[in-house]
Amino acid sequence: MIVELSGHSLLVFVGIPALVIAVLALLVFASSIASGPRYRPGLSWWAPPVWINGPTATKPDPAHLPELPELTSAPGVTATTATATGVARTLGGASASW
């Protein structure tokens, strides 16, 4: 028995599912289409450099720069203190003894 398909049944059983699949595919790929090309490893970088929180375009006025704290000892020298037992301990650092 051979079944004859009309244009209406072909539209319902083929056209509507094809339209639904096309809309879903468009929704899935819309974000990548809108964002443009992406970087591929091995290719040169084409985007301009971005420096977040970089230096300002104008130079600061030297009269209004903040004061630096005074150094009490030479750089790289750790402070020590004597305990009640007379043993010198290093203050701060990775030992976390303050």
Side-chain angles (χ1 to χ4, degrees):
M1 172 184 208
I2 297 176
V3 178
E4 188 176 322
L5 292 175
S6 68
H8 180 68
S9 61
L10 191 63
L11 179 67
V12 169
F13 292 114
V14 175
I16 293 176
L19 181 65
V20 169
I21 290 172
V23 168
L24 287 176
L26 182 66
L27 289 175
V28 167
F29 294 114
S31 65
S32 63
I33 292 170
S35 67
R38 37 181 291 216
Y39 173 71
R40 301 287 181 188
L43 298 178
S44 62
W45 184 254
W46 61 86
V50 176
W51 191 352
I52 300 172
N53 286 340
T56 58
T58 60
K59 292 184 178 181
D61 184 14
H64 300 291
L65 291 177
E67 294 292 325
L68 294 176
E70 294 286 331
L71 290 176
T72 56
S73 62
V77 177
T78 58
T80 58
T81 183
T83 61
T85 59
V87 177
R89 294 185 347 184
T90 303
L91 297 177
S95 65
S97 53
W98 299 94

